[in-house]
């Protein structure tokens, strides 16, 4: 990335805070009010919010999350949603995080019998406010266990925590690459602290790009106001997702996990107000989450690709509200982009199979890959389409 740019692929000279609903010229959504699904929260477009409970809520109130098991009163008329919920619910947990007088509740997905649980970074860091929050986990049978953080990955807003407990039921992971618009989507988690809540809808869009506030904990020599934002590719669904669903499961009708609920769209413009479901929720695709989770479990951290350039928006016309690519403003010498032969003035239109129409989509496509991965990049130079292989560098969360 250009040393003068705040983040790779950021529009040159354009503050990210300007990229709001009604001001955008590309398809990526800016999450202005992140409501964590895991801390009584959710995030979305036009003001997306993380699905996490209010960091301002007291630790004591976070402990009041209600436990209710999945009950089937009439086994002769079980539908697909009921069947999926019965299969997946034992693998979904409620997470309580607290630090001092602040706390909240979120959700998580059991990955293995060793007790590794996948959730959101914003859940375990209280939206980036706590470096070492106290973690407790309530399993589907109502039992509570102390949890420890194995590692966080702010660039994907994913994290792994671990508990020691008998009889854990690992989730069955699906293939998010096979998900299509119109598929039934089922969300399972603890919205508003109500453990074991099941809602359903459809997959509204795949490969959607959103921007949301980083949940990285600021270093001791920086302030929380300077954390910036991250760009991630997500599955969009209209299944009801609310604060507390963060880190919970999005499943298909077979009860297989296809996504990790991370944010919901908020109709309001306030970055502090907690918002409820308006039918626009977002989940990190499980194929991406699985790769990140495996790296965190193995090493305590995950890697992400970096191009080594800064870009600006390529508008389709002088007064157009639409963008048609990410125009390279500068290339860092010795970077992945430089090695692939990219130059200032090139317009990137595709990376790793993802269509690129603006800077956020380019960033998300690069970050989705592990560092060192070689992928195809398509760009226009002097009006001609060109293609090259690019071996991605390593991004940092700083």
């Amino acid at each position: 990335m250009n040393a003068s740019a705040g983040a790779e692929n950021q529009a040159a000279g354009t503050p990210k805070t300007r990229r709001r609903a009604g001001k955008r010229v590309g398809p990526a959504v800016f999450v202005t009010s992140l409501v964590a699904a895991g801390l009584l929260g959710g995030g979305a477009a036009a003001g997306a919010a993380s699905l996490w409970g209010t960091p301002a809520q007291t630790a004591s109130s976070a402990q009041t999350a209600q436990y209710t098991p999945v009950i089937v009163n009439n086994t002769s008329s079980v539908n697909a949603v009921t069947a999926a919920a019965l299969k997946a619910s034992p693998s979904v947990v409620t997470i309580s995080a607290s630090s001092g007088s602040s706390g909240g509740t979120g959700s998580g997905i059991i990955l293995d019998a060793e007790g590794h649980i996948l959730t959101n970074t914003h859940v375990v860091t209280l939206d980036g406010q706590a470096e070492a929050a106290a973690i407790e986990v309530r399993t589907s049978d109502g039992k509570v266990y102390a949890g420890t953080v194995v590692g966080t990955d702010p660039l994907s807003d994913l994290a792994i925590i671990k508990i020691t407990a008998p009889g854990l039921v690992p989730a069955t992971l699906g293939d998010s690459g096979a998900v299509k618009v119109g598929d039934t989507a089922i969300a399972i988690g603890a919205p508003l602290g109500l453990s074991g809540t099941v809602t359903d809808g459809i997959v509204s869009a795949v490969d959607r790009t959103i921007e949301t506030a980083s949940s990285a904990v600021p270093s001791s020599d920086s302030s929380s106001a300077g954390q910036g934002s991250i760009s991630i590719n997500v599955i969009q669904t209209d299944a009801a997702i609310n604060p507390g669903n963060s880190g919970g499961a999005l499943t298909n009708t077979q009860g297989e996990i296809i996504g990790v609920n991370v944010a919901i769209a908020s109709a309001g413009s306030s970055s502090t107000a907690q918002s409820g479901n308006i039918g626009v929720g977002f989940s990190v695709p499980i194929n991406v989450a699985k790769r990140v989770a495996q790296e965190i479990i193995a090493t305590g951290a995950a890697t992400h690709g970096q191009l080594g350039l800064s870009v600006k928006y390529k508008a389709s016309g002088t007064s157009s509200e639409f963008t048609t690519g990410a125009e390279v403003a500068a290339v860092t010498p010795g970077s992945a982009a430089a090695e692939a032969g990219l130059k200032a003035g090139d317009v990137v239109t595709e990376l790793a199979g993802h269509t690129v129409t603006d800077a956020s989509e380019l960033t998300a496509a690069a970050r989705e890959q592990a560092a060192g991965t070689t992928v195809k990049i398509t760009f226009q130079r002097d009006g001609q389409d060109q293609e090259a292989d690019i071996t991605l560098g390593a991004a940092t969360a700083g």
Side-chain angles (χ1 to χ4, degrees), residues 221-240:
D221 58 352
S222 65
S223 66
S224 60
Q227 292 184 77
S229 65
I230 59 172
S231 298
I232 54 176
N233 287 329
V234 293
I235 298 169
Q236 180 182 328
T237 180
D238 68 349

Side-chain angles (χ1 to χ4, degrees), residues 261-279:
N261 296 325
V262 66
I264 59 172
S266 166
S269 59
S270 171
S271 61
T272 59
Q274 288 278 319
S275 301
N277 171 67
I278 60 170

Side-chain angles (χ1 to χ4, degrees), residues 84-275:
L86 284 172
K87 179 178 180 179
S89 290
S91 304
V92 179
V93 302
T94 301
I95 299 171
S96 168
S98 60
S99 178
S101 61
S102 297
T105 57
S107 305
I109 302 165
I110 299 172
L111 295 180
D112 54 39
E114 286 69 47
H116 291 107
I117 295 171
L118 176 63
T119 185
N120 293 139
T121 293
H122 70 248
V123 170
V124 300
T125 66
L126 291 170
D127 283 336
Q129 296 186 20
E131 184 175 9
I135 305 295
E136 285 191 324
V137 175
R138 170 173 275 166
T139 54
S140 64
D141 59 4
K143 296 179 180 178
V144 177
Y145 302 91
T148 58
V149 177
V150 176
T152 62
D153 181 48
L155 289 180
S156 65
D157 201 0
L158 296 172
I160 295 291
I161 62 175
K162 190 175 187 296
I163 62 174
T164 299
L168 295 177
V169 181
T172 300
L173 306 186
D175 178 10
S176 55
V179 171
K180 60 185 182 297
V181 172
D183 284 349
T184 296
I186 302 157
I188 305 175
L192 308 179
L194 302 174
S195 300
T197 295
V198 178
T199 59
D200 76 312
I202 63 167
V203 172
S204 304
V206 296
D207 206 20
R208 174 80 72 202
T209 300
I210 63 171
E211 288 185 42
T212 186
S214 171
S215 53
V217 178
S219 60
S220 58
D221 58 352
S222 65
S223 66
S224 60
Q227 292 184 77
S229 65
I230 59 172
S231 298
I232 54 176
N233 287 329
V234 293
I235 298 169
Q236 180 182 328
T237 180
D238 68 349
I241 295 175
N242 286 286
N245 274 119
S246 287
L250 189 71
T251 83
N252 57 23
T253 52
Q254 284 72 52
E256 300 169 333
I257 311 299
I258 58 172
V260 182
N261 296 325
V262 66
I264 59 172
S266 166
S269 59
S270 171
S271 61
T272 59
Q274 288 278 319
S275 301

Side-chain angles (χ1 to χ4, degrees), residues 217-376:
V217 178
S219 60
S220 58
D221 58 352
S222 65
S223 66
S224 60
Q227 292 184 77
S229 65
I230 59 172
S231 298
I232 54 176
N233 287 329
V234 293
I235 298 169
Q236 180 182 328
T237 180
D238 68 349
I241 295 175
N242 286 286
N245 274 119
S246 287
L250 189 71
T251 83
N252 57 23
T253 52
Q254 284 72 52
E256 300 169 333
I257 311 299
I258 58 172
V260 182
N261 296 325
V262 66
I264 59 172
S266 166
S269 59
S270 171
S271 61
T272 59
Q274 288 278 319
S275 301
N277 171 67
I278 60 170
V280 186
F282 305 111
S283 301
V284 178
I286 196 60
N287 291 2
V288 175
K290 180 180 178 180
R291 193 269 297 177
V292 171
Q294 289 172 336
E295 291 190 19
I296 293 176
I297 292 171
T299 68
T303 65
H304 295 275
Q306 178 165 279
L307 296 169
L309 47 71
S310 60
V311 298
K312 58 185 178 182
Y313 302 113
K314 177 65 175 178
S316 60
T318 56
S319 61
S320 176
E321 287 293 311
F322 299 104
T323 55
T324 57
E327 183 175 348
V328 178
V331 178
T332 303
S335 67
E339 293 295 325
L342 271 73
K343 301 177 180 179
D346 292 342
V347 179
V348 180
T349 57
E350 187 173 311
L351 180 69
H354 294 279
T355 298
V356 172
T357 63
D358 69 6
S360 295
E361 291 180 342
L362 182 57
T363 298
R367 297 290 190 265
E368 197 171 88
Q369 304 295 322
T373 303
T374 299
V375 296
K376 293 288 185 183

Side-chain angles (χ1 to χ4, degrees), residues 10-34:
Q10 177 177 347
T14 303
K16 288 193 175 184
T17 53
R18 291 180 57 191
R19 305 185 60 204
R20 305 289 179 92
K23 297 294 184 181
R24 294 203 43 83
V25 290
V29 170
F30 189 92
V31 178
T32 60
S33 176
L34 184 60

Side-chain angles (χ1 to χ4, degrees), residues 70-72 75 78-91 188 198 255:
V70 175
I71 299 172
V72 179
T75 57
V78 174
N79 59 27
V81 173
T82 304
L86 284 172
K87 179 178 180 179
S89 290
S91 304
I188 305 175
V198 178

